[in-house]
Amino acid sequence: NTLAAAGRYHSAFLDVDLLFGSRGSFFEASFLEGVVEINPPFDEEIVLKVARQCESSLEQAARGNRDLVFVVIVPSADWEGHTALLASKFKRSHRTMPSGEHFYTVGNQHANSQQTYPASRNTTVLILAARPVLGTAKLAEAITAAFQDRASNVGMWQASSKTAPGAATKREQRAKERAKPVEQRQETSSSQRRDRAKWARRAKK
């Protein structure tokens, strides 16, 4: 889960993701300059590898006097990788977002009516840069604010889904249909069959 310039990103499966803009594995890439956003899977071993990759790339960029910035989003956990990121000499700013007060986007949005979910643990946002750059604190604040804005959006979405016309789920609609007298259910079923037949005839024309 790494954004790297012009809509490109890094992912584990280059053979599948290439057509969608993937540059392949983050751990096999070379970063010379620019701004790279990193939101890796929340796995202890992967976060440690991310910390080491960032440190190595920033060391190289610093020696070349280049501007390379990593925006890293990882869980606030008692992990070696998290500790290494906080201790990095390239850390310019960081923020901790409390659990329940920021949200993540659901991965299977195409099959899930719920688009976001609340974070179950604290999350750390770090700005690492090969050279001191202006605005890192402001950038960190903007990122945390974006996570918190998602929380208010979810509240609005939940409220609208409860009050909007036709917001009943299919399960609720089926329950209402079963609650009707048998005669009404048969009438509705017959009406639906007539409608389907009518549209079928129109389609043939």
Side-chain angles (χ1 to χ4, degrees):
N1 300 330
T2 306
L3 293 179
R8 303 296 296 277
Y9 65 97
H10 291 275
S11 66
F13 306 105
L14 178 62
D15 56 337
V16 175
D17 298 335
L18 177 63
L19 294 177
F20 303 98
S22 175
R23 291 181 170 180
S25 172
F26 167 79
F27 301 111
E28 297 174 1
S30 296
F31 301 97
L32 301 178
E33 58 187 357
V35 179
V36 181
E37 181 266 334
I38 308 167
N39 182 201
F42 285 6
D43 174 85
E44 185 172 0
E45 183 177 343
I46 291 178
V47 171
L48 178 57
K49 289 179 66 176
V50 165
R52 290 171 175 168
Q53 174 80 342
C54 288
E55 198 73 10
S56 175
S57 298
L58 290 166
E59 288 278 7
Q60 184 177 356
R63 287 195 297 269
N65 203 31
R66 293 191 172 114
D67 289 319
L68 176 63
V69 179
F70 287 121
V71 178
V72 187
I73 302 167
V74 292
S76 303
D78 186 20
W79 294 350
E80 185 180 352
H82 182 260
T83 301
L85 288 165
L86 287 174
S88 173
K89 66 181 181 182
F90 298 108
K91 187 188 74 176
R92 308 302 175 183
S93 185
H94 86 280
R95 298 288 185 276
T96 299
M97 298 182 290
S99 63
E101 297 183 15
H102 62 290
F103 283 68
Y104 286 97
T105 300
V106 173
N108 62 338
Q109 296 176 51
H110 62 288
N112 197 328
S113 60
Q114 181 176 343
Q115 298 296 290
T116 55
Y117 64 94
S120 60
R121 64 170 78 185
N122 293 355
T123 301
T124 302
V125 177
L126 303 104
I127 312 296
L128 310 178
R131 300 193 302 171
V133 291
L134 294 175
T136 53
K138 187 175 181 180
L139 175 59
E141 290 292 346
I143 292 171
T144 55
F147 274 97
Q148 291 162 354
D149 283 345
R150 183 63 56 81
S152 62
N153 290 339
V154 168
M156 292 171 60
W157 175 82
Q158 290 174 335
S160 64
S161 68
K162 292 178 181 177
T163 58
T169 63
K170 290 183 178 180
R171 182 179 299 176
E172 292 170 338
Q173 292 171 345
R174 288 196 296 269
K176 290 178 180 178
E177 184 66 24
R178 287 194 297 270
K180 292 180 180 179
V182 174
E183 295 81 4
Q184 289 187 21
R185 290 206 301 268
Q186 291 174 343
E187 181 180 344
T188 301
S189 179
S190 299
S191 175
Q192 289 173 342
R193 284 196 296 270
R194 286 196 298 271
D195 288 341
R196 285 197 293 269
K198 179 175 67 176
W199 286 108
R201 288 195 297 271
R202 289 185 180 182
K204 290 180 179 179
K205 293 178 182 180

